Amino acid sequence: MGLTDSGEFHQAQRMRELLSEVASRRFMATSHDGLVTVSAVATGQVVGLQIDPRVYRNPNSRALAESILETIDRAIAGATETHLDSLVRVSGVEASTFSELLESATNMVSELMEEVDDLQRRE
C-alpha cells in the first residue's frame, strides 16, 4: 500500500493547512489602563496597534512607550501560548516555542510531500 493510499498524503496536506491557519490567527492584548491594544500572531509578528485618544489627556511619552512594549510582549506571548499547545497535540511534535514547532512540523510535512512525489514518480 502506497503513501497516498494510507492517508498520509492527506494528513500532510491537513498539517500544512493547519500550520498556515494557526500562524495567521490573531491574539489581542490590552494594556492595564485600556489605552493600548496590540494584535499579534503566533510567529511573533505584531499585526495591529491601537492607541486610544485618551492618552492625550495626560501625555507621558515614557509611560506610553512602556505600556506599548509591555502590551506587545503580552500579545506575542499570548498568541504563542494559545496556539502552541493545540499544534503540539495535533502534530505530535514536541516543542517549547512556536518557532521550534513550526520548523519541525514544516520539515515533517516537506519530508512527507517528498515521499509522495517519489511514489507518484514510480507509479
Side-chain angles (χ1 to χ4, degrees), residues 18-30:
L18 181 63
L19 287 170
S20 177
E21 177 187 320
V22 169
S24 65
R25 280 189 210 154
R26 291 178 179 221
F27 183 89
M28 292 179 67
T30 302

Side-chain angles (χ1 to χ4, degrees), residues 39-71:
S39 299
V41 293
T43 57
Q45 181 181 9
V46 173
V47 294
L49 172 64
Q50 297 173 346
I51 300 174
D52 190 298
R54 291 178 294 155
V55 298
Y56 298 113
R57 293 182 186 164
N58 185 15
N60 182 338
S61 62
R62 184 175 301 202
L64 178 60
E66 288 175 9
S67 179
I68 290 170
L69 291 174
E70 186 242 46
T71 308

Side-chain angles (χ1 to χ4, degrees), residues 3-122:
L3 184 64
T4 55
D5 295 335
S6 68
E8 290 181 19
F9 175 74
H10 296 293
Q11 181 181 5
Q13 284 182 317
R14 178 65 186 128
M15 178 67 77
R16 181 183 287 166
E17 291 167 6
L18 181 63
L19 287 170
S20 177
E21 177 187 320
V22 169
S24 65
R25 280 189 210 154
R26 291 178 179 221
F27 183 89
M28 292 179 67
T30 302
S31 62
H32 298 296
D33 60 8
L35 299 178
V36 176
T37 301
V38 174
S39 299
V41 293
T43 57
Q45 181 181 9
V46 173
V47 294
L49 172 64
Q50 297 173 346
I51 300 174
D52 190 298
R54 291 178 294 155
V55 298
Y56 298 113
R57 293 182 186 164
N58 185 15
N60 182 338
S61 62
R62 184 175 301 202
L64 178 60
E66 288 175 9
S67 179
I68 290 170
L69 291 174
E70 186 242 46
T71 308
I72 286 172
D73 286 346
R74 287 188 19 248
I76 292 171
T80 302
E81 185 178 321
T82 298
H83 304 304
L84 183 61
D85 290 338
S86 61
L87 283 174
V88 165
R89 276 179 286 174
V90 170
S91 70
V93 175
E94 288 298 320
S96 58
T97 66
F98 181 79
S99 296
E100 203 176 284
L101 175 68
L102 186 60
E103 182 179 339
S104 295
T106 299
N107 290 340
M108 181 178 71
V109 168
S110 294
E111 289 171 12
L112 285 172
M113 296 306 283
E114 285 175 18
E115 282 185 47
V116 168
D117 289 342
D118 288 345
L119 286 172
Q120 288 176 342
R121 277 188 232 121
R122 289 183 208 153

